[in-house]
Amino acid sequence: MYHSLNVQQLNSAIQTLADLRGKKIAFTKGSSANYLLAKALKSAGIKWSEIKPANLTPADARAAFQQGNVDAWVIWDPFYAAAQAPKDVRVVKDSKGLAANRDFYLANKSFAGSNAKIIEAIREETQAVATWADANPAEVTKILAPILKIDASILDVVTRRRSYGFEPIQADMVAEQQEIADTFFELGLIPKQLKVEEVVWKPGN
């Protein structure tokens, strides 16, 4: 899983998602964490209006979380792995079964439409590197830790639970992204409904 998103709390009586009703929850507005929170609340039968949203950057959210100024924090790796390190942090719900948390490569439509061979070459080379990375997490940690300036022990956790794979967009991925777009429209984060299928590049388009 590329991003592990979690609802967490520090030294709290919160045990389940149901306990989040009425609580102040930190996340970054419009992010994958925002979507995960919406999905998690919905799965527990909690309305968005029943929580107290706190739109904070990861750094500010981490500070608020550690100081007890918010009841819970929804975040992704490597912040998630760093937050897990203290023994007094409880994971209420991760993204498994709720959000795939994918990354996508974006390109200008005209470029993508006329450079299919280049895109395929990039995909093949990236997948080759990804295959090596998935098989050598310790080496990946050694390479990335000094570059990203992240503690090796934290980065090792992140590296071992994510995948570097690169694959073409499939129908299920389009459906996932459409659900995100629909959710963000319902929350008023985007001004109009979107059709994700219309902006997905396919060879020959």
Side-chain angles (χ1 to χ4, degrees), residues 8 11 37 39 57 72 77 86 122 148 156 160 169 178 184:
Q8 308 169 72
N11 297 328
L37 177 58
K39 287 281 288 184
T57 64
D77 275 332
I122 293 173
L148 300 177
D156 184 64
R160 292 179 186 279
I169 295 179
Q178 186 62 59
F184 281 5

Side-chain angles (χ1 to χ4, degrees), residues 92-122:
V92 176
K93 181 67 178 177
D94 62 26
S95 59
K96 188 176 297 183
L98 290 178
N101 305 314
R102 305 180 191 276
D103 279 348
F104 295 90
Y105 285 84
L106 305 179
N108 178 281
K109 188 174 183 179
S110 61
F111 174 87
S114 58
N115 292 281
K117 290 184 178 180
I118 293 176
I119 293 174
E120 179 57 23
I122 293 173

Side-chain angles (χ1 to χ4, degrees), residues 24-47:
K24 187 175 183 180
I25 306 173
F27 60 93
T28 302
K29 185 178 180 179
S31 69
S32 51
N34 195 159
Y35 176 65
L36 175 58
L37 177 58
K39 287 281 288 184
L41 293 175
K42 186 175 182 179
S43 73
I46 301 174
K47 297 179 181 179

